[in-house]
Amino acid sequence: MSNSVNSVNEQNDHWIITTGAQQNPEDYELSQYADQHRLRVLGGIAALKSSNDIQSNFIGRLYSFLPLSDTTHLPFHINGTWSQGSDRGKLLIEKDDLPDLDHHKLDWNRHILLDFLPKVYCKFLEEIVRLQTDHNVNDHPISKFWPFPSVTRNYPKYAVEYGFKVLKHILQNDEIFQLINGGFPPDEDNRIDILFNFLPRKQKLELRNILRNNWDEISNYLFKVFFFIWSVLRK
C-alpha cells in the first residue's frame, strides 16, 4: 500500500532573513550592564517573501530566538538579544518616566531596537532589493516591507519610533539609493522623491497620519519628510 500526499494542502513559505552583531555599546553603563548580564548586541529581521497560503494574515512580532508576547504589526519579525524577565512576558521597551522602572533594562532594549536593528534593516532592504525582479510599485520591497505599522492596527508606540529611525538610516544609505535608482548615486536633495515614488498613495497617507500623531518622536531631520508628503498629497 502506498501513501499519497495531497500537495494542494502543503504550505510553501519563502522567507528572507538578515542577521547582524556588533561590539558592546560605547556607553559605559550599557557596556557594564552587558558584561554583568552576559549580553551581546545581536539581532535580525525575518520577512515572509512569499507564501501559497492565500489566507495568511502576517502579524509582525518581537522574538528573542523564540516568539515573545509583543506584537509590533510591522510587516516583518524582529529578533534581538533583549533583556527580559524569566517569564518571557511583555518586554520593557516603551519609554516611560515611572520611577520604579528598571532603566538599565529599558536602555538596553531601546539600544537594540533603535540603534542597532535599524542598521540591520538597511542590510535586509539592500539584499531584498537585489533579489527583486518585479518592479511593480505595489509589490516593491520599499512598499511591501515599509518599516511602519498599519494605522488600522493598535500598534505600540515603539514600533513607530523604530520606523522613524529606519527611515533616517535609509535616507542616509548610498547603497540602497544606488540599487533603487538604476545604479546612479542620487543627489541629497532628491532622495525623498526617489524613495516615496515607490509608495502607493495609501501608504503616503498612512505615514502622514503617523507623523501627525507622533510629533514627539520626530527628529529635526525628518521634518522635511513630513512637508514633502504634505506637498505630494495636496496635488
Side-chain angles (χ1 to χ4, degrees):
M1 179 187 239
S2 62
N3 293 326
S4 62
V5 177
N6 185 358
S7 61
V8 175
N9 294 326
E10 291 182 354
Q11 185 169 337
N12 191 10
D13 296 341
H14 295 273
W15 292 78
I16 181 165
I17 298 171
T18 303
T19 61
Q22 64 178 205
Q23 298 293 324
N24 277 342
E26 293 183 2
D27 180 270
Y28 177 76
E29 289 191 6
L30 281 180
S31 181
Q32 290 291 101
Y33 183 81
D35 290 340
Q36 180 183 351
H37 295 275
R38 298 182 179 180
L39 290 170
R40 288 192 62 202
V41 181
L42 303 169
I45 305 291
L48 183 60
K49 190 170 183 290
S50 62
S51 174
N52 66 349
D53 181 5
I54 60 174
Q55 295 182 339
S56 176
N57 186 19
F58 182 90
I59 297 178
R61 303 185 67 92
L62 291 184
Y63 278 68
S64 186
F65 304 101
L66 294 172
L68 301 175
S69 61
D70 300 72
T71 56
T72 64
H73 294 292
L74 294 168
F76 43 82
H77 295 315
I78 294 178
N79 183 63
T81 47
W82 316 104
S83 178
Q84 53 189 313
S86 58
D87 61 352
R88 292 177 63 88
K90 189 171 181 62
L91 200 65
L92 181 58
I93 199 168
E94 203 78 85
K95 190 173 182 180
D96 208 321
D97 294 325
L98 294 176
D100 58 342
L101 283 180
D102 185 338
H103 288 281
H104 290 298
K105 182 180 290 186
L106 176 67
D107 290 346
W108 174 264
N109 289 338
R110 288 177 67 80
H111 172 75
I112 295 287
L113 180 74
L114 302 177
D115 297 326
F116 170 63
L117 283 172
K119 299 171 186 174
V120 176
Y121 175 91
C122 285
K123 293 297 182 184
F124 155 79
L125 188 59
E126 288 175 24
E127 185 58 29
I128 201 166
V129 169
R130 287 191 182 97
L131 295 172
Q132 175 73 18
T133 56
D134 181 5
H135 295 287
N136 186 330
V137 169
N138 291 318
D139 198 44
H140 191 278
I142 296 292
S143 172
K144 187 173 182 179
F145 302 112
W146 187 234
F148 287 93
S150 171
V151 295
T152 61
R153 302 294 182 95
N154 187 22
Y155 57 82
K157 201 165 188 176
Y158 65 76
V160 172
E161 291 183 84
Y162 172 78
F164 288 151
K165 286 285 188 174
V166 168
L167 184 54
K168 180 177 179 179
H169 280 282
I170 292 175
L171 291 171
Q172 296 173 334
N173 189 299
D174 293 337
E175 184 67 25
I176 288 175
F177 277 95
Q178 289 198 44
L179 287 169
I180 64 177
N181 196 40
F184 298 101
D187 295 331
E188 291 293 328
D189 294 336
N190 67 354
R191 290 186 179 223
I192 294 175
D193 303 74
I194 293 170
L195 182 67
F196 281 83
N197 280 339
F198 291 99
L199 296 182
R201 182 177 176 83
K202 179 183 176 182
Q203 277 183 306
K204 293 173 186 175
L205 284 168
E206 287 193 345
L207 181 58
R208 184 193 65 178
N209 291 336
I210 287 174
L211 287 163
R212 275 178 167 175
N213 296 331
N214 294 274
W215 283 112
D216 292 343
E217 284 72 42
I218 301 174
S219 67
N220 290 333
Y221 184 84
L222 291 173
F223 270 108
K224 63 180 181 180
V225 176
F226 175 81
F227 289 114
F228 171 78
I229 297 168
W230 185 263
S231 64
V232 167
L233 295 174
R234 290 186 56 160
K235 293 178 181 179

